[in-house]
Amino acid sequence: MGYKVVVCGATGNVGREMLNILAERQFPVDEITALASRRSLGTDVSFGDKTLKTKDLETFDFTGWDIAFFAIGSDATKKYAPIAAKAGCIVIDNSSLYRYDADVPLVVPEVNPEAVDGYAKKNIIANPNCSTAQMVVALKPLHDRARIKRVVVSTYQSVSGTGKEAIDELWDQTKGMYVPGQEREPKVYTKQIAFNVIPHIDVFMDSGETKEEWKMVAETKKIVDPMIKVTATCVRVPVFVGHSEAINIEFEDFLDEDEARDILRQAPGVLVVDKREDGGYVTPVECVGDFATFVSRIRQDSTIDNGLNIWVVSDNLRKGAALNAVQIAETLVERVLKKR
């Protein structure tokens, strides 16, 4: 049995990736439609070996459709997601709009698949922030074994997390460093991104942290355990695709690095590449296009009683966004829709 599926924001980076992954993973689709804003109306997008022409989100009738993937940002989602949900179409939303709503499940299927069961309160399921998604995939199996008390994470986030204009800005600024007359001033970012790092993602809050850092804290608590203390520093780096994270973990109980390595090797969605030799770790270049969350540099932290350090890398357009959304839909089908 197949499903009638809608992808909203199908011309954006994440929307296109959603279509690719739905086709790659052979999600049971009977019918699929691609929606976009009027300025992108009629644009061709690919779904496997098919080409779809985008339709107008503003006038689309969601009645009779089963699942809608939203990749259109919070403002548009605020307008259209309730319309889809009210029409009986289950919304899987990639924006931050519903993540902190107590009546909306926030789901990473490897971590809290049972949470999808709560979708019916609003007919909406939220997809977490890209940096949170890959982190909790690595944290959850370790937490199940030794109970995490505190996490200190520093992120190295690629420009694709901001969108196509950011990718173009990095490309153009990099060229401009070598080609006289093609220099490019920052427009997307507050400072030059080429050959630089920017410790600023999203807006600043009164606490001094940025909204991206706050998201990692709030979402980890909602997805994994409200008792975990999290502090984050989120940094934009001159990488096109792939987010990296240096994570320091303090546990309630001692966890040996060898046991941690074994636990992570068996964990769903995780691929351990951890050799103590040149190149025995994963960088963003290697993770692009892959479904896995890669973990490397697993080692004891000798400065605290029960500490570990790990390095986590993932394709942010996939596990951080489109892949996780499709996995939510797969979980929804398996746990809920098949039983109707």
Side-chain angles (χ1 to χ4, degrees), residues 70 72-83 93 95 97-98:
F70 272 61
I72 55 176
S74 294
D75 290 341
T77 297
K78 189 174 184 179
K79 179 177 180 181
Y80 296 107
I83 294 171
D93 177 36
S95 81
L97 182 65
Y98 292 105

Side-chain angles (χ1 to χ4, degrees), residues 97-119:
L97 182 65
Y98 292 105
R99 289 176 188 160
Y100 318 107
D101 186 325
D103 291 334
V104 174
L106 180 65
V107 179
V108 176
E110 296 94 334
V111 177
N112 62 337
E114 71 288 345
V116 300
D117 299 349
Y119 81 95

